[in-house]
């Protein structure tokens, strides 16, 4: 009897929530430390950007963000994201589907290549494109002979952005698809469904929240990318400057208020991204809770 009671108490202790084993003072200290860190590293810089952007009043702020070069940088940033994100979405879905649902030689090599942009500096990746497509690069003379411009133009900016952002969608979907397994797809195939029918009616509905989350992260990185784009853009004002590059130029020219005003556009885009991300996470949690309730 004593052994059974001891075992029961041991199981209860092991199943006890982690916060129940910590004192109230420790919990308060940890939460305070986390909040202070977030305030110093994230909140204060964001507040300082807004304060500096509005330091000379709304009129100067509006003039700074509606100036011709600023609008050109905003337009180029949105165009780049509008091209890079859908392409990376298609690639991410295809790569995750292949890795999670099929067995083939070279799978580990493919996973390593997907992770490559995480290991390579964005500046180095931009330099690679210059060495490939620049005037003195491997393909430069052929491109010049056919009047095709990649470096210091929109195609180079898009290529650099695609390279640094393509792991995000795939990396969100691979573990999700691996966890789901292939049972539902096999059942659909047994019932006579074809490949695209299986994807649209079985696979895609199961991954839609993870897919949206990956797209949001990919879009955020695409709009904020600096290093790779800086190398391939040429910093041509009003033509090949994205918002991050335009902020740098204004700051280097000592136009501090204008630089912070343009930077506030990036802050706004980031906040919109966070709101959408929070909504997607909430919807995903609601769906998971509903599924567990239905199962129960």
């Amino acid at each position: 009897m004593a052994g059974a009671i001891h075992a029961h108490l041991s199981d209860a202790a092991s199943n006890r929530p982690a916060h129940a084993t910590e004192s109230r003072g420790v919990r308060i200290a940890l939460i305070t430390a986390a909040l202070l860190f977030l305030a110093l590293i994230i909140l204060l810089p964001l507040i300082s950007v807004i304060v500096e952007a509005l330091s000379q009043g709304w009129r100067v702020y509006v003039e700074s963000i509606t100036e011709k070069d600023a609008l050109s940088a905003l337009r180029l940033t949105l165009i780049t994201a509008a091209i890079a994100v859908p392409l990376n979405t298609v690639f991410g879905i295809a790569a995750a589907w292949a890795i999670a649902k099929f067995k083939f030689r070279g799978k580990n090599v493919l996973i390593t290549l997907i992770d490559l942009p995480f290991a390579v500096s964005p500046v180095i990746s931009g330099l690679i494109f210059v060495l490939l497509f620049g005037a003195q690069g491997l393909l430069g003379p052929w491109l010049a002979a056919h009047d095709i411009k990649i470096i210091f133009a929109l195609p180079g900016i898009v290529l650099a952005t695609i390279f640094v952002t393509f792991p995000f969608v795939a990396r969100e979907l691979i573990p999700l698809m691996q966890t789901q397994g292939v049972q539902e797809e096999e059942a659909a195939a047994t019932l006579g469904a074809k490949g695209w029918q299986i994807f649209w009616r079985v696979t895609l509905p199961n991954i839609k929240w993870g897919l949206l989350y990956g797209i949001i992260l990919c879009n955020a990185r695409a709009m904020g990318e600096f290093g790779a784009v800086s190398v391939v853009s040429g910093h041509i004002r009003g033509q090949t400057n994205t918002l991050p590059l335009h902020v740098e130029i204004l700051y280097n020219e000592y136009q501090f208020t204008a630089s912070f005003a343009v930077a506030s556009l990036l802050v706004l885009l980031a906040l919109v991204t966070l709101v959408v991300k929070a909504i997607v996470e909430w919807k995903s949690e609601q769906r998971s809770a509903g599924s567990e309730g239905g199962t129960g």
Side-chain angles (χ1 to χ4, degrees):
M1 177 67 70
I5 294 175
H6 179 73
H8 177 73
L9 292 176
S10 298
D11 292 340
S14 63
N15 294 326
R16 187 181 304 165
H19 62 79
T21 63
E22 301 291 346
S23 66
R24 187 169 181 268
V26 172
R27 296 201 301 273
I28 292 175
L30 291 174
I31 293 172
T32 303
L35 292 176
L36 286 174
F37 182 82
L38 291 175
L40 290 173
I41 303 301
I42 298 178
L43 189 59
L44 286 180
L46 292 179
I47 293 175
S48 68
V49 169
I50 302 300
V51 170
E52 289 293 333
L54 299 173
S55 61
Q56 296 186 19
W58 279 101
R59 183 180 64 82
V60 175
Y61 176 81
V62 173
E63 289 177 353
S64 298
I65 63 176
T66 57
E67 187 258 338
K68 182 180 67 174
D69 292 339
L71 292 177
S72 175
L74 176 60
R75 182 166 55 253
L76 181 59
T77 300
L78 296 177
I79 290 173
T80 301
I83 297 173
V85 174
L87 291 177
N88 281 331
T89 299
V90 173
F91 167 79
I93 293 173
W97 197 10
I99 291 171
K101 305 296 184 179
F102 302 97
K103 295 180 180 180
F104 57 92
R105 291 183 178 180
K107 179 186 290 191
N108 291 332
V109 175
L110 177 58
I111 294 174
T112 302
L113 291 176
I114 290 174
D115 291 336
L116 186 62
F118 289 144
V120 176
S121 167
V123 175
I124 300 300
S125 64
L127 181 60
I128 291 172
F129 286 109
V130 172
L131 295 176
L132 283 174
F133 305 118
Q136 306 301 321
L138 184 63
L139 302 176
W142 184 88
L143 293 172
H146 292 78
D147 196 25
I148 300 174
K149 194 170 184 180
I150 294 181
I151 301 301
F152 307 152
L154 177 61
I157 295 173
V158 171
L159 285 174
T161 304
I162 288 174
F163 180 83
V164 298
T165 59
F166 81 81
F168 287 93
V169 175
R171 265 301 168 194
E172 285 297 321
L173 294 182
I174 289 172
L176 176 61
M177 286 187 172
Q178 288 176 333
T179 302
Q180 291 174 349
V182 297
Q183 290 82 4
E184 293 187 21
E185 283 84 356
E186 290 176 347
T190 302
L191 295 174
K194 303 299 182 182
W196 283 111
Q197 290 177 318
I198 294 174
F199 174 76
W200 287 110
R201 298 187 179 184
V202 179
T203 303
L204 188 59
N206 287 335
I207 64 170
K208 62 180 180 180
W209 297 117
L211 176 61
L212 286 173
Y213 190 76
I215 291 173
I216 291 169
L217 294 178
C218 181
N219 183 67
R221 178 63 187 276
M223 291 190 297
E225 175 55 32
F226 179 85
V229 172
S230 177
V231 175
V232 302
S233 72
H235 294 266
I236 304 173
R237 198 163 187 164
Q239 298 183 35
T240 63
N241 275 339
T242 58
L243 280 179
L245 301 184
H246 190 58
V247 171
E248 182 198 30
I249 287 178
L250 292 174
Y251 191 86
N252 289 338
E253 293 177 349
Y254 302 103
Q255 300 182 47
F256 299 123
T257 301
S259 67
F260 280 106
V262 176
S264 69
L265 294 177
L266 287 172
V267 172
L268 179 61
L269 291 173
L271 292 177
V272 171
T273 301
L274 288 176
V275 170
V276 175
K277 171 178 170 291
I279 293 174
V280 169
E281 289 178 339
W282 178 74
K283 288 284 189 180
S284 179
E285 291 174 359
Q286 292 291 108
R287 179 177 178 274
S288 299
S291 299
E292 291 176 359
T295 304

